[in-house]
C-alpha cells in the first residue's frame, strides 16, 4: 500500500518505519523542516533501540521517504497517491493537559486533499470528547465531497521496545469513525496484513477507551504494587517473593507489579491525571483512579524520604548521586520522569543532586531543565564523594556496578534502590546500607546495623516529618 504518515514523533516515526518494514511504500511528513533534514541525514529526533537501523535500511531501499510541510508539491502528491493517511501528531499541551490544535490543523491539511477511496487512520491518543466529535470534524473538512472513511487505530507500543511491539502486537484495534461501505476497515486491515494477532473492530469511542483502559489498568497495577510494598515492609515480607507467587495466578500475571518510584512518561501519568480531572469536572466519582494518581506522586516523595532516613533526617549539604534520569531505561524521554521531581525536591531540601544517565542527550536536557542539578558523564563521577546514592532508572549498566569500588569512592554509605533492581546482597557485602521498596534486607553487616534504623524502617515508611527543611 502507499501510505502517508503525518507527524514524525515517537508514534509517527515508529509507525512509518515499521510499515515500510512490512513492504508498504511510506512517505513520512513532519511540520518541521529541520526534523526532515535531520532524518535524511540519518539523525533521529529521539532514542529508540533499533529505529535508526530500520529507518536507514528503508530509506536506502526507497520504501521510506521524508518530507516537510513546506514542501507543498511533495506533500500534495504523497496525499494524492496515498491509499491510507496516518495521522500521528502530538496531543499533549506540554503542561500536563490535552491540546487538539495540532490535530485540527493536520486534519485541515490532509482531509480535503485525500483521494475519495483512501482511509484516514488516526493514531494519536485523543481526549474522549474529541473522539466523539471526530466524525463531524472530518465531515465538515470534507465539505460536499464523498465522506472519507476514517478509523481510530490506537497504538500500544512502549518506548524502548516500540519496534518489537509494533511488528509483533498482541492485538490491533480499529475503531470505526466513519465507514459507510466498509472500505475503511478493509484498508486499515490491509495495513496490518502481516500481523498474526487478533484485529478487533469496534466503535471509535470503544477503541479510544481500549487504549485508555489498558493504560489506566497498568497504572493501577503499579500503584497497587507500591501499596503492597508498604504492607510487606510493615510485616517484614519481601514484595519480590510475594509478587512472584501471585504471578502464577493467570488472573493476575506478574507484569507491572514492580514497586519503586512509580510510573512516569508521556502516557500513564497524563492519562490518569486527565481522566480523574475530567471525571471530577463531570461529577463522576472515580476514587480508585484518584488514589492511583496520589500513590504515584507519593512514591517520588518516599524515595527522597528514604534518602533522608539514611542520612539521619537531614539532606542539607548532602551530595546525592542519582543514577538514571529518563522515565525508564532505553529511552531518552524525560517527560514526567520521576528523576526530575526527585532532583528538584532534593535541591529544595538543601541537598546537591549529582545525576548520571547513560544518554548524553538526556543529561544535557535535564541539566537545562533543572537549575542547580549537576550532571556528570559516568557512574564513577556521580558516586565520587557522595553521601548517598539513589537509583531512579534501572538501566542495564547499573546492574554491573562494582559496589566495593563505589564504597571506596563514596563519603557515606546509603544506597536507595528506587526500582528494586539492584542485587541487595552485593550492595550489603560491599559494606553499604540498602534501602528498597518492600524488599527484605537480611545480613546487614554489623557496622551498618549499629547505625541503621530497624529493618522495617529501611523500607517504605512514612518519614516525611523526619526531613529537616532548610530555612
Ligand atoms: C505506556 C504503555 O505501556 C503503552 O502500551 C502505551 O502505548 C504507551 O504508554 P510507556 O509510557 O512507553 O508505555 O512505558 P511503560 O513501559 O508502560 O512504563 C511506564 C512507567 O511505569 C515507567 O516509568 C516504568 O518505569 C513504570 N513501571 C512499569 C513501574 O514503575 N513498575 C512496573 O512494574 C512497570
Amino acid at each position: 500500500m502507499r501510505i502517508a504518515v503525518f507527524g514524525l514523533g515517537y508514534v509517527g516515526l515508529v509507525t512509518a518505519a515499521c510499515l515500510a518494514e512490512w513492504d508498504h511504500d511510506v512517505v513520512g511528513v513532519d511540520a518541521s523542516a529541520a526534523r526532515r533534514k535531520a532524518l535524511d541525514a540519518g539523525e533521529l529526533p529521539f532514542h529508540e533501540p533499533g529505529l535508526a537501523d530500520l529507518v536507514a535500511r528503508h530509506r536506502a531501499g526507497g520504501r521510506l521517504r521524508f518530507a516537510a510541510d513546506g514542501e507543498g508539491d511533495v506533500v500534495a502528491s504523497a496525499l494524492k497517491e496515498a491509499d491510507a493517511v496516518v495521522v500521528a501528531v502530538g496531543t499533549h499541551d506540554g503542561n500536563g493537559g490535552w491540546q487538539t490544535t495540532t490535530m485540527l490543523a493536520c486534519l485541515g491539511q490532509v482531509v480535503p486533499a485525500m483521494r475519495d477511496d483512501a482511509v484516514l487512520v488516526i493514531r494519536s491518543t485523543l481526549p474522549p470528547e474529541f473522539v466523539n466529535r471526530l466524525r463531524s470534524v472530518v465531515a465538515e473538512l470534507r465539505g460536499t465531497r464523498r465522506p472519507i472513511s476514517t478509523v481510530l487505530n490506537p497504538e500500544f507500543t512502549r518506548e524502548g521496545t516500540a519496534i518489537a511491539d509494533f511488528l509483533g502486537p498482541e492485538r490491533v484495534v480499529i475503531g470505526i469513525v466513519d465507514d459507510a461501505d466498509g472500505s475503511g476497515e478493509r484498508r486499515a486491515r490491509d495495513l496490518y496484513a502481516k500481523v498474526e494477532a487478533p484485529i478487533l473492530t469496534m466503535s471509535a469511542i470503544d477503541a479510544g477507551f481500549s487504549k485508555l483502559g489498558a493504560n489506566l489498568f497498568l497504572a493501577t497495577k503499579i500503584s497497587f504494587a507500591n501499596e503492597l510494598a508498604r504492607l510487606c515492609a510493615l510485616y517484614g515480607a519481601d514484595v519480590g517473593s510475594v509478587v512472584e507467587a501471585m504471578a502464577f495466578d493467570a488472573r493476575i500475571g506478574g507484569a507491572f507489579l514492580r514497586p519503586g518510584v512509580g510510573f512516569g512518561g508521556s502516557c500513564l501519568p497524563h492519562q490518569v491525571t486527565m481522566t480523574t480531572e475530567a471525571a471530577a469536572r463531570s461529577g463522576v466519582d472515580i476514587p480508585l483512579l484518584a488514589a492511583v494518581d496520589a500513590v504515584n506522586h507519593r512514591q517520588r516523595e518516599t524515595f527522597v524520604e528514604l534518602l533522608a532516613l539514611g542520612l539521619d533526617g537531614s539532606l542539607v549539604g548532602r551530595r546525592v548521586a542519582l543514577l538514571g534520569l529518563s522515565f525508564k531505561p532505553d529511552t531518552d524521554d524525560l517527560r514526567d520522569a520521576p528523576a526530575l521531581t526527585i532532583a528538584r525536591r532534593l535541591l529544595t531540601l538543601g541537598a546537591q543532586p549529582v545525576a548520571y544517565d547513560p544518554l548524553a542527550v538526556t543529561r544535557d536536557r535535564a541539566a537545562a531543565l533543572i537549575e542547580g542539578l549537576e550532571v556528570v558523564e559516568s557512574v564513577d563521577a556521580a558516586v565520587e564523594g557522595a553521601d548517598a546514592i539513589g537509583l531512579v532508572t534501572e538501566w542495564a549498566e547499573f546492574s554491573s556496578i562494582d559496589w566495593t569500588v563505589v564504597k571506596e569512592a563514596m563519603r557515606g554509605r546509603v544506597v536507595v534502590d528506587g526500582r528494586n533492581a539492584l542485587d541487595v546482597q552485593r550492595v550489603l557485602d560491599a559494606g553499604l546500607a540498602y534501602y528498597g521498596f518492600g524488599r527484605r534486607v537480611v545480613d546487614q553487616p554489623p557496622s551498618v546495623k549499629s547505625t541503621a534504623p530497624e529493618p522495617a524502617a529501611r523500607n517504605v515508611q512514612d518519614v516525611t516529618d523526619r526531613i529537616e527543611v532548610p530555612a
Side-chain angles (χ1 to χ4, degrees):
M1 287 172 80
R2 286 159 303 180
I3 301 162
V5 177
F6 281 75
L8 297 175
Y10 281 97
V11 176
L13 190 54
V14 168
T15 302
C18 289
L19 288 173
E21 176 75 0
W22 281 337
D23 298 336
H24 295 301
D25 185 5
V26 184
V27 181
V29 184
D30 198 89
S32 155
R35 177 161 294 194
R36 179 251 212 263
K37 228 162 127 191
L39 284 167
D40 278 342
E43 291 160 24
L44 257 54
F46 52 85
H47 176 85
E48 181 62 40
L51 186 58
D53 287 349
L54 205 61
V55 168
R57 190 147 47 81
H58 293 305
R59 272 192 64 243
R63 277 211 295 274
L64 178 59
R65 288 168 294 142
F66 296 116
D69 274 350
E71 301 161 64
D73 293 351
V74 188
V75 177
S77 73
L79 273 169
K80 209 163 89 196
E81 285 167 16
D83 303 305
V85 174
V86 179
V87 173
V89 297
T91 49
H92 284 204
D93 70 358
N95 235 340
W98 292 111
Q99 62 87 13
T100 48
T101 319
T102 316
M103 172 62 67
L104 286 168
C106 185
L107 292 176
Q109 179 186 10
V110 304
V111 170
M114 283 174 64
R115 276 200 338 248
D116 282 353
D117 63 339
V119 61
L120 176 62
V121 180
I122 309 292
R123 202 150 166 76
S124 311
T125 304
L126 297 170
E129 54 276 12
F130 192 83
V131 174
N132 283 333
R133 277 179 51 215
L134 200 49
R135 185 189 170 115
S136 60
V137 167
V138 174
E140 201 172 307
L141 289 167
R142 199 66 183 162
T144 52
R145 289 172 62 192
R146 184 187 181 280
I148 206 89
S149 292
T150 306
V151 300
L152 188 69
N153 171 222
E155 56 89 22
F156 297 99
T157 50
R158 293 160 296 173
E159 287 178 30
T161 54
I163 292 168
D165 289 349
F166 190 101
L167 296 175
E170 284 158 325
R171 80 302 209 183
V172 172
V173 172
I174 297 172
I176 306 297
V177 178
D178 195 354
D179 191 25
D181 60 3
S183 64
E185 183 192 342
R186 274 196 302 280
R187 280 197 188 277
R189 282 178 177 268
D190 287 346
L191 283 179
Y192 292 100
K194 300 225 170 164
V195 164
E196 281 167 20
I199 298 183
L200 311 171
T201 303
M202 57 189 74
S203 76
I205 192 67
D206 292 354
F209 260 86
S210 73
K211 156 117 190 181
L212 185 62
N215 280 345
L216 295 177
F217 185 64
L218 292 172
T220 304
K221 280 189 98 175
I222 298 169
S223 283
F224 171 81
N226 281 321
E227 288 217 340
L228 187 66
R230 268 167 209 265
L231 290 169
C232 287
L234 180 63
Y235 294 106
D238 181 74
V239 73
S241 310
V242 171
V243 167
E244 187 186 358
M246 285 168 60
F248 280 97
D249 189 327
R251 294 169 302 175
I252 300 170
F256 276 67
L257 287 175
R258 195 187 58 248
V261 290
F263 53 83
S266 65
C267 270
L268 265 48
H270 178 259
Q271 293 195 337
V272 171
T273 308
M274 287 298 95
T275 305
T276 47
E277 284 181 11
R281 278 197 306 275
S282 311
V284 175
D285 196 24
I286 51 166
L288 175 63
L289 288 175
V292 166
D293 206 13
V295 167
N296 195 51
H297 283 109
R298 192 186 55 185
Q299 292 308 111
R300 300 174 187 198
E301 183 61 24
T302 300
F303 180 87
V304 176
E305 288 165 5
L306 284 171
L307 285 166
L309 182 67
L311 296 170
D312 296 329
S314 176
L315 287 156
V316 179
R318 301 304 193 123
R319 198 169 166 83
V320 179
L322 294 180
L323 302 184
L325 286 163
S326 53
F327 83 96
K328 68 176 195 179
D330 295 318
T331 177
D332 57 4
D333 200 340
L334 278 171
R335 284 177 289 180
D336 212 339
L340 299 184
T341 317
I342 289 163
R344 287 194 181 99
R345 184 79 180 123
L346 286 172
L347 285 163
T348 308
L349 292 167
Q352 177 53 62
V354 187
Y356 167 72
D357 188 278
L359 293 179
V361 60
T362 313
R363 297 197 294 269
D364 293 347
R365 266 195 266 136
L369 281 170
I370 302 182
E371 200 183 328
L373 174 66
E374 196 178 325
V375 295
V376 291
E377 295 189 4
S378 65
V379 172
D380 289 352
V383 302
E384 184 67 41
D387 295 294
I389 295 174
L391 180 132
V392 190
T393 317
E394 71 283 25
W395 283 89
E397 174 180 340
F398 303 145
S399 61
S400 55
I401 288 176
D402 184 336
W403 292 102
T404 314
V405 174
V406 168
K407 166 83 170 26
E408 291 310 307
M410 286 177 78
R411 186 160 62 195
R413 57 182 170 195
V414 172
V415 177
V416 177
D417 181 358
R419 296 291 183 181
N420 281 7
L422 299 175
D423 182 328
V424 180
Q425 204 53 52
R426 284 181 45 214
V427 175
L428 296 179
D429 288 349
L432 295 163
Y434 178 92
Y435 295 73
F437 288 73
R439 286 176 109 181
R440 184 182 299 118
V441 181
V442 288
D443 295 338
Q444 193 84 282
S447 56
V448 175
K449 230 181 229 162
S450 59
T451 53
E454 289 305 298
R458 284 200 302 268
N459 255 301
V460 281
Q461 299 293 313
D462 289 324
V463 285
T464 321
D465 56 355
R466 291 211 208 162
I467 304 183
E468 181 191 323
V469 181

